[in-house]
Amino acid sequence: MLTTLKRYPNPVRLLLLTTFTLTMARAITLPYLVVYLADNFQLSVGRIGLVIGGALIVASLLSLYGGHLVDTVRNHTLVIASLLVFALAFVGAIASRSAALFFLCLVLINLALALVDIAAKAAFCALLPVEQRAEVFAIKYTLSNIAYAVGPMLGVALIELDGHLPFVVSALIGLAMCLAYQRLGIRDLQLQDRPQPGAGFAQVALGLLRDRRLVCFTLGGVLSAVVFGQFTAYLSQYLVVTRNPAEAARLVGYLVTTNAVTVIALQYLIGKRIDRRRLMPWLMAGMGLFIAGLLGFSLADTALAWCLAMLVFTLGEIIVIPAEYMFIDLIAPEHLRGIYYGAQNLGNLGAALGPVLVGAALGHLVPVAVFYLLIGSVILASVFYWLGTRRPD
């Protein structure tokens, strides 16, 4: 992977570094977010879930307009502004004296991260030839998983020193990246500026609704994100119901580690081999692995069985996420790549809904039934993917 990175132009390496750094800064606060909300605002567990999940949903919806900005605002300007908002939102989170203001700061953090992510994807497509894009998407996803593996551990260490320190460090990381991008990005990103489309956001958004392939693929992305977007959350819910708290916590730790190690070890090796001319077979293979993993979860009764099921499940994740990126790259017009990737980002709605749906199912069905409901979501997602990858009549 390091050898491959050296072959990329400077703007690509800079954007990979930027997305990795921001993801790390976001991940640092993850272990403490629930505790911080409970201690500082005396919120119940249910309200905390609404704050965190609601912020992600609102940011995902707003990211569609953010994609339009990627297409119409100079890339360097947009990235700098997003980095600055990211840093200031963490400062605002520390200063917040109400849950509503904290919620707004969370929305801005998630939205800024989404904007940089969309801008990076659009730039990769503008700067790299088609045959290198699967590889760079695989590298980006690998780096994101490294950030999510390391960030929470760093956050736990910072919490031991001071309760506000994770937010302070995340703000400083965002500010440092903003200053670095201001210095390095002006020269490096000049080549990727694209002409502005003449249509306004409303007209462009209506045009997206007429793209059958994008609509189908977005729906498929939402349904598949229900399954893999926040799997640790719904697996924790299931294990808390079916195991004692200590055993549930231990198993979740094993599963998170298995997922992280598998992604870091295999994402690049598998992702770079995904062929854009054979996306449907790759996608179906990934969805099949999701189903096999979920069946494994439903049958698992030992820690080893749970970890093996997670290994299979993670292989599906490794395939599906880069394949989704590549499909958007395949169908997006050059001047609308940003808003097409913004539409793809709506898949986060599924990630936010996953734990909510599983929680409701656990309250009304036998616990193991949640896995069969999730399998149904995978099958329905596969149908929409199939409809999306069909050529127009």
Side-chain angles (χ1 to χ4, degrees):
M1 189 168 72
L2 292 177
T3 303
T4 301
L5 285 171
K6 292 178 181 179
R7 299 201 308 265
Y8 290 149
N10 287 338
V12 172
R13 293 202 296 265
L14 181 60
L15 283 166
L16 285 170
L17 174 63
T18 303
T19 55
F20 169 74
T21 304
L22 254 64
T23 303
M24 175 79 76
R26 175 70 180 87
I28 285 172
T29 62
L30 289 180
Y32 192 47
L33 202 53
V34 173
V35 176
Y36 188 88
L37 285 166
D39 288 348
N40 286 271
F41 304 112
Q42 289 73 53
L43 298 180
S44 66
V45 174
R47 288 183 179 273
I48 290 171
L50 287 175
V51 169
I52 297 174
L56 180 60
I57 290 173
V58 172
S60 299
L61 293 172
L62 291 175
S63 67
L64 185 62
Y65 182 73
H68 179 64
L69 292 179
V70 170
D71 293 326
T72 55
V73 177
R74 197 163 73 98
N75 193 287
H76 177 259
T77 302
L78 184 63
V79 172
I80 288 293
S82 299
L83 290 168
L84 186 58
V85 168
F86 184 85
L88 293 177
F90 274 108
V91 175
I94 299 171
S96 296
R97 293 295 176 264
S98 71
L101 184 56
F102 191 91
F103 173 81
L104 176 61
C105 291
L106 277 184
V107 170
L108 291 175
I109 289 167
N110 288 325
L111 179 58
L113 186 58
L115 280 175
V116 174
D117 189 71
I118 294 168
K121 292 174 189 173
F124 295 155
C125 295
L127 291 167
L128 293 174
V130 169
E131 60 272 12
Q132 291 184 11
R133 293 174 190 172
E135 193 172 52
V136 77
F137 287 143
I139 291 174
K140 179 184 175 298
Y141 190 60
T142 301
L143 291 175
S144 294
N145 278 275
I146 292 173
Y148 276 117
V150 176
M153 293 188 290
L154 180 56
V156 170
L158 293 171
I159 290 167
E160 296 297 323
L161 300 175
D162 184 271
H164 291 94
L165 202 53
F167 295 97
V168 173
V169 170
S170 294
L172 290 175
I173 290 173
L175 182 59
M177 199 66 236
C178 181
L179 295 174
Y181 209 91
Q182 174 65 32
R183 179 180 177 83
L184 300 174
I186 294 176
R187 180 183 66 255
D188 289 345
L189 293 181
Q190 283 180 343
L191 295 178
Q192 69 187 55
D193 291 343
R194 293 178 299 279
Q196 297 184 5
F201 171 69
Q203 185 177 348
V204 173
L206 289 174
L208 295 185
L209 292 175
R210 292 192 289 269
D211 189 331
R212 175 186 59 79
R213 294 182 300 170
L214 177 63
V215 171
C216 289
F217 216 79
T218 300
L219 291 172
V222 171
L223 288 165
S224 61
V226 167
V227 177
F228 70 78
Q230 293 195 69
F231 63 86
T232 54
Y234 69 70
L235 288 179
S236 297
Q237 292 170 298
Y238 174 81
L239 290 170
V240 165
V241 170
T242 58
R243 304 283 197 283
N244 63 66
E247 185 180 1
R250 178 172 55 85
L251 274 175
V252 169
Y254 291 158
L255 295 177
V256 169
T257 301
T258 301
N259 176 262
V261 170
T262 304
V263 169
I264 292 169
L266 298 178
Q267 175 66 70
Y268 174 69
L269 295 175
I270 294 175
K272 70 177 183 178
R273 289 174 168 79
I274 296 177
D275 186 352
R276 61 188 281 131
R277 293 167 298 183
R278 296 180 56 81
L279 282 181
M280 192 58 188
W282 277 101
L283 273 172
M284 290 303 100
M287 303 307 271
L289 289 166
F290 277 149
I291 292 174
L294 290 167
L295 286 173
F297 293 147
S298 71
L299 299 172
D301 57 358
T302 66
L304 178 60
W306 276 98
C307 289
L308 289 174
M310 176 53 72
L311 174 62
V312 174
F313 183 92
T314 304
L315 290 174
E317 178 187 352
I318 285 172
I319 292 171
V320 169
I321 291 178
E324 287 181 343
Y325 293 159
M326 292 180 66
F327 182 76
I328 299 300
D329 172 43
L330 189 66
I331 68 172
E334 285 294 333
H335 66 289
L336 294 177
R337 288 193 182 277
I339 198 167
Y340 268 67
Y341 278 118
Q344 185 198 19
N345 204 56
L346 294 175
N348 284 332
L349 297 175
L353 288 173
V356 176
L357 296 175
V358 168
L362 286 171
H364 295 87
L365 303 171
V366 293
V368 74
V370 301
F371 294 117
Y372 299 105
L373 289 176
L374 292 170
I375 288 172
S377 184
V378 173
I379 293 172
L380 190 55
S382 301
V383 172
F384 280 114
Y385 282 146
W386 177 75
L387 291 173
T389 53
R390 290 178 62 197
R391 294 185 180 275
D393 295 330

